[in-house]
Amino acid sequence: MLETLSARLKEARRVTVLTGAGVSAASGVPTFRGAGGLWRSFRAEDLATPEAFARDPALVWEWYEWRRATIASCQPNAAHDVLAQWTRDSKTCTVITQNVDDLHIRAGTQRLVRLHGSIWELSCWNRCGTLPWRDERVPLPAQPATCPGCGGLARPGVVWFGESLSPADLNAASTACTCDVFIAAGTSAIVYPAAGLLQQAKMRGAFTAEINVDATPASSLVDMAVKDAAEVVFPQLAEALPRLW
Ligand code: NAD
Ligand code: ZN
């Protein structure tokens, strides 16, 4: 079965890979919906919103501090490594991620679109005009974190449920949907934009594939659904492809 996908990749001039939380699962980063996805008795959907932050910033920051501490001790896995290698080998390979852990960056990925921002970046909750900044300290010195510009509350630099994605990132992702092969890996692909990007790529004639340990709503949409772990499948594909494009 993987032969078909390898053959498509061999012929492809442009390849785009969309990744979700499942790609970082083997690194030890908990997904929201899987086992270990719950923090205390809260669901991610009840914490990762502007309303939750407005109500109780200290609680939301406590959850982010816990996630930052978890992610800080995680390393990129074989899936991140293969994708990084592909983007280094080929200028026409793009990775679009919904992950906020920056493990793709740590693996050395080029041409990366981070649709949901980064857990290592912060911005001013009051929008005082201070540009977003990066701070990888764990824990952060102030709890909850503050803005260096106005001294008010800082917020995590991630896109929360109900917030819009940056138009520049959406544009870059949409451009990357014009490709020969589009792979969605480790994403449940229910929510926009994951589902939308897959459809766009398909409409523009891409061969579409999914790599996921479980069936998802995308499984019936794609040309090929590979039901296996990303950290297993990507190294197999890389082995079958001696040289990229
Ligand atoms: P999701 O909706 O992307 O679902 C995770 C998917 O990964 C599931 O379909 C699951 O079957 C699959 N999966 C699990 N292990 C896998 C593996 N080893 N190989 C391949 N597939 C695997 O993610 P979510 O957890 O429901 O999160 C929703 C949103 O929050 C997304 O934007 C997500 O990226 C983000 N989030 C990011 C991180 C991170 O930065 N690592 C962690 C949690 C959530
Ligand atoms: Zn400020």
Side-chain angles (χ1 to χ4, degrees):
M1 178 136 140
L2 272 188
E3 287 83 44
T4 314
L5 183 51
S6 314
R8 291 287 185 158
L9 284 168
K10 262 179 205 152
E11 290 163 10
R13 276 165 302 123
R14 282 177 186 278
V15 172
T16 299
V17 183
L18 169 71
T19 66
V23 164
S24 292
S27 295
V29 184
T31 59
F32 279 177
R33 297 186 183 102
L38 290 178
W39 177 72
R40 300 194 190 156
S41 54
F42 297 96
R43 296 181 313 140
E45 290 84 344
D46 298 333
L47 291 162
T49 68
E51 293 75 24
F53 191 79
R55 208 180 310 128
D56 194 344
L59 173 75
V60 173
W61 260 119
E62 230 186 296
W63 181 57
Y64 276 95
E65 287 281 16
W66 171 76
R67 292 183 63 202
R68 284 165 60 103
T70 309
I71 293 168
S73 64
C74 296
Q75 303 301 325
N77 65 56
H80 297 108
D81 290 341
V82 168
L83 292 173
Q85 189 61 50
W86 284 2
T87 62
R88 284 198 295 265
D89 284 356
S90 163
K91 290 200 163 43
T92 52
C93 179
T94 304
V95 176
I96 306 169
T97 191
Q98 300 169 88
N99 295 344
V100 298
D101 54 35
D102 281 355
L103 289 181
H104 284 302
I105 292 183
R106 277 173 53 195
T109 309
Q110 317 279 304
R111 285 174 306 286
L112 175 69
V113 183
R114 293 178 304 169
L115 285 176
H116 292 171
S118 167
I119 201 162
W120 301 112
E121 286 166 16
L122 284 76
S123 67
C124 178
W125 171 246
N126 303 315
R127 298 200 183 92
C128 73
T130 301
L131 291 176
W133 65 97
R134 198 169 176 90
D135 193 332
E136 298 186 15
R137 287 174 292 178
V138 175
L140 287 161
Q143 317 267 335
T146 52
C147 167
C150 67
L153 266 179
R155 59 163 286 175
V158 301
V159 179
W160 281 328
F161 293 106
E163 292 186 313
S164 8
L165 279 61
S166 118
D169 288 341
L170 262 182
N171 203 30
S174 172
T175 303
C177 289
T178 302
C179 57
D180 303 303
V181 175
F182 185 99
I183 302 175
T187 173
S188 48
I190 325 168
V191 283
Y192 184 83
L197 293 173
L198 188 61
Q199 300 264 24
Q200 271 193 57
K202 201 174 162 71
M203 266 161 31
R204 296 187 205 159
F207 178 83
T208 54
E210 170 182 66
I211 300 171
N212 198 305
V213 288
D214 276 326
T216 77
S219 307
S220 54
L221 284 176
V222 291
D223 296 304
M224 171 181 271
V226 182
K227 205 170 163 202
D228 205 342
E231 67 278 10
V232 172
V233 178
F234 280 111
Q236 287 173 352
L237 290 172
E239 204 165 308
L241 289 169
R243 187 84 194 96
L244 270 192
W245 317 293

Coordinates of all heavy atoms in Angstrom, one line a residue, residues 94-170:
T94 N 6.4 21.8 1.5 CA 6.0 22.7 2.6 C 5.3 21.9 3.7 O 4.6 21.0 3.4 CB 4.9 23.7 2.0 OG1 5.5 24.4 0.9 CG2 4.5 24.7 3.0
V95 N 5.5 22.3 4.9 CA 4.8 21.7 6.0 C 3.9 22.8 6.7 O 4.3 23.9 7.0 CB 5.8 21.2 7.1 CG1 5.0 20.6 8.3 CG2 6.7 20.1 6.5
I96 N 2.6 22.4 6.8 CA 1.6 23.3 7.5 C 1.3 22.5 8.8 O 1.0 21.4 8.8 CB 0.3 23.4 6.6 CG1 0.6 23.8 5.2 CG2 -0.7 24.3 7.3 CD1 -0.6 23.7 4.3
T97 N 1.5 23.2 9.9 CA 1.2 22.5 11.1 C 0.1 23.3 11.9 O 0.0 24.5 11.9 CB 2.4 22.3 12.0 OG1 2.1 21.4 13.1 CG2 3.0 23.6 12.6
Q98 N -0.7 22.4 12.7 CA -1.6 23.0 13.6 C -1.0 22.9 15.0 O -1.6 23.4 16.0 CB -2.9 22.2 13.6 CG -3.6 22.1 12.3 CD -4.7 21.1 12.2 OE1 -5.8 21.4 12.6 NE2 -4.3 19.9 11.8
N99 N 0.2 22.4 15.1 CA 0.8 22.2 16.4 C 1.5 23.5 16.9 O 2.0 24.3 16.1 CB 1.9 21.1 16.4 CG 1.2 19.7 16.1 OD1 0.0 19.6 16.2 ND2 2.0 18.8 15.7
V100 N 1.5 23.7 18.2 CA 2.0 24.9 18.8 C 3.3 24.6 19.5 O 3.9 25.5 20.1 CB 1.0 25.6 19.7 CG1 -0.3 26.0 19.0 CG2 0.6 24.6 20.9
D101 N 3.8 23.3 19.4 CA 5.0 22.9 20.2 C 6.3 23.3 19.6 O 7.3 23.2 20.3 CB 4.9 21.4 20.5 CG 4.8 20.6 19.2 OD1 5.3 21.0 18.2 OD2 4.1 19.5 19.3
D102 N 6.3 23.7 18.4 CA 7.6 24.1 17.7 C 8.6 22.9 17.5 O 9.7 23.2 17.2 CB 8.3 25.3 18.3 CG 7.6 26.6 18.0 OD1 6.7 26.6 17.2 OD2 8.0 27.7 18.5
L103 N 8.1 21.7 17.6 CA 9.0 20.6 17.4 C 9.4 20.5 15.9 O 10.5 20.0 15.7 CB 8.3 19.2 17.9 CG 8.2 19.1 19.4 CD1 7.6 17.7 19.7 CD2 9.5 19.2 20.1
H104 N 8.6 21.0 15.0 CA 9.0 21.0 13.6 C 10.2 22.0 13.5 O 11.2 21.7 12.7 CB 7.9 21.5 12.7 CG 6.9 20.5 12.4 ND1 7.1 19.3 11.9 CD2 5.5 20.5 12.6 CE1 6.0 18.6 11.7 NE2 5.0 19.3 12.2
I105 N 10.2 23.1 14.2 CA 11.3 24.0 14.1 C 12.5 23.4 14.7 O 13.6 23.5 14.2 CB 10.9 25.3 14.9 CG1 9.8 26.1 14.1 CG2 12.2 26.2 15.0 CD1 9.4 27.4 14.7
R106 N 12.4 22.8 15.9 CA 13.5 22.2 16.5 C 14.1 21.1 15.7 O 15.3 20.8 15.8 CB 13.1 21.6 17.9 CG 13.2 22.8 18.9 CD 12.6 22.4 20.3 NE 13.2 21.2 20.9 CZ 12.7 20.6 21.9 NH1 11.6 21.0 22.4 NH2 13.3 19.5 22.4
A107 N 13.3 20.4 14.8 CA 13.9 19.4 13.9 C 14.6 20.0 12.7 O 15.2 19.3 11.9 CB 12.7 18.5 13.5
G108 N 14.4 21.3 12.5 CA 15.1 22.0 11.4 C 14.3 22.2 10.1 O 14.8 22.3 9.1
T109 N 12.9 22.2 10.3 CA 12.0 22.3 9.1 C 12.1 23.7 8.5 O 12.1 24.7 9.1 CB 10.6 22.0 9.5 OG1 10.6 20.8 10.3 CG2 9.6 21.9 8.4
Q110 N 12.2 23.7 7.1 CA 12.1 24.9 6.4 C 10.7 25.1 5.9 O 9.9 24.1 5.8 CB 13.1 24.9 5.1 CG 14.4 24.2 5.4 CD 15.4 25.2 6.0 OE1 15.6 26.3 5.5 NE2 15.9 24.9 7.2
R111 N 10.3 26.3 5.4 CA 9.0 26.5 4.8 C 7.9 25.9 5.7 O 7.2 25.0 5.2 CB 8.9 26.0 3.4 CG 9.6 26.9 2.4 CD 9.6 26.3 1.0 NE 10.2 25.0 1.1 CZ 11.5 24.7 1.2 NH1 12.3 25.7 1.3 NH2 11.9 23.5 1.3
L112 N 7.8 26.4 6.9 CA 6.8 25.9 7.8 C 5.8 26.9 8.0 O 6.1 28.1 8.3 CB 7.5 25.6 9.2 CG 6.7 25.2 10.3 CD1 6.1 23.8 10.1 CD2 7.5 25.2 11.6
V113 N 4.5 26.5 7.9 CA 3.4 27.5 8.2 C 2.8 27.0 9.6 O 2.3 25.9 9.7 CB 2.3 27.4 7.1 CG1 1.2 28.5 7.4 CG2 2.9 27.7 5.7
R114 N 2.9 27.9 10.6 CA 2.3 27.5 11.9 C 0.9 28.2 12.0 O 0.8 29.3 12.4 CB 3.3 28.0 13.0 CG 4.6 27.2 13.0 CD 5.5 27.7 14.1 NE 5.7 29.1 14.0 CZ 6.3 29.9 14.9 NH1 6.7 29.4 16.0 NH2 6.5 31.2 14.7
L115 N -0.1 27.4 11.7 CA -1.4 28.0 11.6 C -2.0 28.4 13.0 O -2.8 29.4 13.1 CB -2.4 27.0 11.1 CG -2.4 26.7 9.5 CD1 -3.3 25.6 9.2 CD2 -2.7 28.0 8.8
H116 N -1.5 27.7 14.1 CA -2.1 28.0 15.4 C -1.1 28.7 16.3 O -1.3 28.7 17.5 CB -2.6 26.7 16.0 CG -3.8 26.2 15.3 ND1 -4.4 25.0 15.6 CD2 -4.6 26.8 14.3 CE1 -5.5 24.8 14.8 NE2 -5.6 25.9 14.0
G117 N 0.0 29.3 15.7 CA 0.9 30.0 16.6 C 1.9 29.1 17.3 O 2.1 28.0 16.9
S118 N 2.4 29.6 18.4 CA 3.4 28.9 19.2 C 3.2 29.1 20.7 O 2.9 30.2 21.1 CB 4.8 29.4 18.8 OG 5.8 28.9 19.7
I119 N 3.4 28.0 21.4 CA 3.2 28.1 22.8 C 4.4 28.8 23.5 O 4.4 29.2 24.6 CB 3.1 26.7 23.4 CG1 2.4 26.7 24.8 CG2 4.4 25.9 23.5 CD1 1.8 25.4 25.3
W120 N 5.5 29.0 22.7 CA 6.7 29.7 23.2 C 6.7 31.2 22.9 O 7.7 31.9 23.2 CB 8.0 29.0 22.6 CG 8.0 27.6 22.9 CD1 7.9 26.5 22.0 CD2 8.2 27.0 24.2 NE1 8.0 25.3 22.7 CE2 8.1 25.6 24.1 CE3 8.4 27.5 25.5 CZ2 8.3 24.7 25.1 CZ3 8.5 26.7 26.6 CH2 8.4 25.3 26.4
E121 N 5.6 31.6 22.3 CA 5.5 33.1 22.0 C 4.4 33.6 22.9 O 3.5 32.9 23.2 CB 5.3 33.3 20.5 CG 6.5 33.1 19.7 CD 6.3 32.9 18.2 OE1 5.3 33.3 17.7 OE2 7.3 32.4 17.6
L122 N 4.5 34.9 23.2 CA 3.5 35.6 24.0 C 3.1 36.9 23.3 O 3.8 37.4 22.5 CB 4.1 35.9 25.4 CG 4.2 34.8 26.4 CD1 5.4 33.9 26.1 CD2 4.4 35.4 27.8
S123 N 1.9 37.4 23.7 CA 1.6 38.7 23.2 C 0.8 39.4 24.3 O 0.4 38.8 25.3 CB 0.7 38.6 21.9 OG -0.5 38.0 22.2
C124 N 0.6 40.7 24.1 CA -0.1 41.5 25.1 C -1.6 41.3 25.0 O -2.2 41.5 24.0 CB 0.2 43.0 24.9 SG -0.6 44.1 26.1
W125 N -2.2 41.0 26.1 CA -3.7 40.7 26.2 C -4.4 42.0 25.9 O -5.5 42.1 25.4 CB -4.0 40.2 27.6 CG -5.5 40.1 27.9 CD1 -6.1 40.8 28.9 CD2 -6.4 39.2 27.3 NE1 -7.4 40.4 28.9 CE2 -7.7 39.4 27.9 CE3 -6.4 38.2 26.3 CZ2 -8.9 38.8 27.6 CZ3 -7.6 37.6 25.9 CH2 -8.8 37.8 26.6
N126 N -3.8 43.2 26.3 CA -4.5 44.5 26.1 C -4.2 45.1 24.8 O -4.6 46.2 24.5 CB -4.0 45.5 27.2 CG -4.3 45.0 28.6 OD1 -5.3 44.5 28.9 ND2 -3.3 45.1 29.5
R127 N -3.4 44.4 24.0 CA -3.0 44.9 22.7 C -2.4 46.3 22.8 O -2.9 47.3 22.1 CB -4.2 44.9 21.7 CG -4.7 43.5 21.4 CD -5.5 43.5 20.1 NE -6.1 42.2 19.9 CZ -7.4 41.8 20.2 NH1 -8.1 42.7 20.9 NH2 -7.8 40.7 19.9
C128 N -1.4 46.5 23.6 CA -0.9 47.9 23.9 C 0.0 48.3 22.7 O 0.5 49.5 22.7 CB -0.1 47.9 25.2 SG 1.5 47.0 25.1
G129 N 0.3 47.5 21.8 CA 1.2 47.8 20.7 C 2.5 47.1 20.7 O 3.3 47.2 19.8
T130 N 2.8 46.5 21.9 CA 4.1 45.7 22.0 C 4.0 44.5 21.0 O 2.9 43.8 21.0 CB 4.3 45.2 23.4 OG1 4.3 46.4 24.3 CG2 5.6 44.4 23.6
L131 N 5.0 44.3 20.2 CA 5.0 43.2 19.3 C 5.1 41.9 20.0 O 5.7 41.8 21.1 CB 6.1 43.3 18.3 CG 6.0 44.5 17.3 CD1 7.3 44.5 16.4 CD2 4.7 44.3 16.4
P132 N 4.5 40.8 19.5 CA 4.6 39.5 20.2 C 6.1 39.2 20.4 O 6.9 39.5 19.6 CB 4.0 38.5 19.2 CG 3.0 39.4 18.4 CD 3.6 40.7 18.3
W133 N 6.4 38.5 21.5 CA 7.8 38.1 21.8 C 7.9 36.7 22.2 O 6.9 36.0 22.4 CB 8.3 39.0 22.9 CG 7.6 38.8 24.2 CD1 8.0 38.1 25.3 CD2 6.3 39.4 24.7 NE1 7.1 38.1 26.3 CE2 6.1 38.9 26.0 CE3 5.4 40.3 24.1 CZ2 4.9 39.3 26.7 CZ3 4.3 40.6 24.8 CH2 4.0 40.1 26.1
R134 N 9.1 36.2 22.1 CA 9.4 34.8 22.4 C 10.0 34.7 23.8 O 10.9 35.5 24.1 CB 10.3 34.2 21.4 CG 10.4 32.7 21.3 CD 11.1 32.2 20.1 NE 11.2 30.8 20.1 CZ 10.3 30.0 19.6 NH1 9.3 30.4 18.9 NH2 10.4 28.7 19.7
D135 N 9.5 33.7 24.6 CA 10.1 33.5 25.9 C 10.0 32.0 26.2 O 8.9 31.5 26.4 CB 9.3 34.4 27.0 CG 10.1 34.4 28.3 OD1 10.8 33.4 28.6 OD2 9.9 35.4 29.0
E136 N 11.1 31.4 26.3 CA 11.1 29.9 26.5 C 11.4 29.5 27.9 O 11.7 28.3 28.2 CB 12.1 29.3 25.5 CG 11.8 29.5 24.1 CD 12.7 28.8 23.1 OE1 13.4 27.9 23.5 OE2 12.6 29.1 21.9
R137 N 11.4 30.5 28.8 CA 11.7 30.1 30.2 C 10.5 29.3 30.8 O 9.4 29.6 30.6 CB 11.9 31.4 31.1 CG 13.2 32.1 30.8 CD 13.4 33.4 31.5 NE 12.4 34.4 31.0 CZ 12.4 35.6 31.5 NH1 13.1 36.0 32.5 NH2 11.5 36.5 30.9
V138 N 10.9 28.3 31.6 CA 9.9 27.4 32.2 C 10.3 27.3 33.7 O 11.4 26.7 34.0 CB 9.9 26.0 31.6 CG1 8.9 25.1 32.3 CG2 9.4 26.1 30.1
P139 N 9.5 27.7 34.6 CA 8.3 28.5 34.4 C 8.7 30.0 34.1 O 9.8 30.4 34.3 CB 7.6 28.4 35.8 CG 8.7 28.2 36.8 CD 9.8 27.5 36.1
L140 N 7.7 30.7 33.6 CA 7.9 32.2 33.4 C 8.1 32.9 34.7 O 7.5 32.4 35.7 CB 6.7 32.7 32.6 CG 6.7 32.3 31.1 CD1 5.3 32.5 30.6 CD2 7.7 33.1 30.3
P141 N 8.8 34.0 34.8 CA 9.1 34.6 36.1 C 7.8 35.1 36.8 O 7.7 35.0 38.0 CB 10.1 35.7 35.8 CG 10.1 35.8 34.3 CD 9.6 34.6 33.7
A142 N 6.9 35.7 36.0 CA 5.7 36.2 36.6 C 4.5 35.2 36.4 O 4.4 34.7 35.3 CB 5.3 37.6 36.1
Q143 N 3.7 35.0 37.4 CA 2.5 34.2 37.2 C 1.3 34.9 37.7 O 1.2 35.3 38.9 CB 2.6 32.9 38.2 CG 4.0 32.3 38.2 CD 4.1 31.2 37.2 OE1 3.1 30.6 36.8 NE2 5.3 30.9 36.7
P144 N 0.3 35.3 36.8 CA 0.4 35.0 35.3 C 1.4 36.0 34.7 O 1.7 37.0 35.2 CB -1.0 35.3 34.9 CG -1.7 36.1 35.9 CD -0.9 35.9 37.2
A145 N 1.8 35.6 33.5 CA 2.9 36.4 32.7 C 2.4 37.8 32.4 O 1.2 38.0 32.2 CB 3.2 35.6 31.5
T146 N 3.4 38.7 32.3 CA 3.0 40.1 32.1 C 3.7 40.6 30.8 O 4.7 40.1 30.3 CB 3.5 41.0 33.3 OG1 4.8 40.7 33.5 CG2 2.6 40.8 34.5
C147 N 3.1 41.7 30.3 CA 3.6 42.3 29.1 C 4.8 43.3 29.4 O 4.6 44.2 30.3 CB 2.5 43.1 28.4 SG 3.0 44.2 27.1
P148 N 5.9 43.2 28.7 CA 7.0 44.1 29.1 C 6.7 45.6 28.7 O 7.3 46.5 29.2 CB 8.2 43.6 28.2 CG 7.6 42.8 27.2 CD 6.3 42.3 27.7
G149 N 5.7 45.8 27.8 CA 5.4 47.1 27.3 C 4.6 47.9 28.3 O 4.9 49.0 28.7
C150 N 3.4 47.3 28.7 CA 2.5 48.0 29.6 C 2.3 47.5 31.0 O 1.6 48.0 31.8 CB 1.1 48.0 28.9 SG 0.3 46.4 28.8
G151 N 3.0 46.3 31.2 CA 2.9 45.7 32.6 C 1.6 45.0 32.8 O 1.4 44.4 33.9
G152 N 0.7 45.0 31.8 CA -0.6 44.3 32.0 C -0.4 42.8 31.7 O 0.8 42.3 31.6
L153 N -1.5 42.1 31.5 CA -1.4 40.7 31.3 C -0.8 40.3 30.0 O -1.2 41.0 29.0 CB -2.8 40.1 31.3 CG -3.4 39.6 32.6 CD1 -4.9 39.1 32.3 CD2 -2.6 38.4 33.1
A154 N 0.0 39.3 29.9 CA 0.4 38.7 28.6 C -0.5 37.4 28.4 O -1.0 36.8 29.3 CB 1.9 38.3 28.7
R155 N -0.6 37.1 27.1 CA -1.3 35.8 26.8 C -0.4 34.9 26.0 O 0.5 35.4 25.3 CB -2.6 36.2 26.0 CG -2.4 36.9 24.8 CD -3.6 36.9 23.8 NE -3.7 35.5 23.2 CZ -4.7 35.2 22.4 NH1 -5.7 36.0 22.2 NH2 -4.8 34.0 21.9
P156 N -0.7 33.6 25.9 CA 0.0 32.7 25.1 C -0.2 33.1 23.6 O -1.3 33.4 23.2 CB -0.6 31.3 25.4 CG -1.3 31.5 26.7 CD -1.8 32.9 26.7
G157 N 0.8 33.0 22.8 CA 0.8 33.3 21.4 C 0.2 32.2 20.5 O 0.8 31.9 19.5
V158 N -0.9 31.7 21.0 CA -1.6 30.6 20.2 C -3.0 31.1 19.8 O -3.5 32.0 20.3 CB -1.7 29.3 21.1 CG1 -0.4 28.8 21.5 CG2 -2.6 29.6 22.3
V159 N -3.5 30.4 18.8 CA -4.9 30.7 18.3 C -5.8 29.9 19.1 O -5.8 28.7 19.1 CB -5.0 30.4 16.8 CG1 -6.4 30.8 16.3 CG2 -4.0 31.2 16.0
W160 N -6.7 30.6 19.8 CA -7.7 29.9 20.7 C -8.9 29.5 19.9 O -9.2 30.1 18.9 CB -8.0 30.7 21.9 CG -7.0 30.7 23.0 CD1 -6.2 29.7 23.3 CD2 -6.7 31.8 23.9 NE1 -5.4 30.0 24.4 CE2 -5.7 31.3 24.7 CE3 -7.2 33.1 24.1 CZ2 -5.1 32.0 25.8 CZ3 -6.6 33.8 25.1 CH2 -5.6 33.3 25.9
F161 N -9.7 28.6 20.4 CA -11.0 28.3 19.8 C -11.8 29.6 19.7 O -11.9 30.4 20.7 CB -11.8 27.3 20.7 CG -11.1 25.9 20.8 CD1 -10.4 25.5 21.9 CD2 -11.1 25.0 19.7 CE1 -9.8 24.2 21.9 CE2 -10.5 23.8 19.7 CZ -9.9 23.4 20.8
G162 N -12.4 29.8 18.6 CA -13.2 30.9 18.3 C -12.4 32.1 17.8 O -13.0 33.1 17.5
E163 N -11.1 32.1 17.7 CA -10.3 33.1 17.2 C -10.0 32.9 15.7 O -9.9 31.7 15.3 CB -9.0 33.3 18.0 CG -9.3 33.8 19.4 CD -8.0 34.1 20.2 OE1 -7.1 33.3 20.1 OE2 -7.9 35.2 20.8
S164 N -9.7 34.0 15.0 CA -9.3 33.7 13.6 C -7.9 33.5 13.4 O -7.0 34.0 14.2 CB -9.8 34.9 12.7 OG -10.3 35.9 13.4
L165 N -7.6 32.8 12.3 CA -6.2 32.6 12.0 C -5.6 33.8 11.3 O -6.3 34.5 10.7 CB -6.1 31.3 11.0 CG -6.1 30.0 11.7 CD1 -7.4 29.7 12.5 CD2 -6.0 28.9 10.7
S166 N -4.3 33.9 11.3 CA -3.7 35.0 10.6 C -3.9 34.9 9.1 O -3.6 33.8 8.6 CB -2.2 35.1 11.0 OG -1.4 35.0 9.9
P167 N -4.3 36.0 8.5 CA -4.5 36.0 7.0 C -3.3 35.6 6.3 O -3.4 34.8 5.3 CB -5.0 37.4 6.7 CG -5.5 38.0 8.0 CD -4.7 37.3 9.1
A168 N -2.1 36.0 6.7 CA -0.9 35.7 6.0 C -0.6 34.2 6.1 O -0.2 33.5 5.1 CB 0.3 36.4 6.7
D169 N -0.8 33.6 7.3 CA -0.6 32.1 7.4 C -1.6 31.3 6.6 O -1.3 30.3 5.9 CB -0.7 31.7 8.9 CG 0.4 32.2 9.7 OD1 1.5 32.5 9.1 OD2 0.3 32.2 10.9
L170 N -2.9 31.8 6.6 CA -3.9 31.1 5.8 C -3.6 31.2 4.3 O -3.8 30.2 3.6 CB -5.3 31.8 6.1 CG -6.2 31.2 7.1 CD1 -7.5 31.9 7.2 CD2 -6.4 29.7 6.7

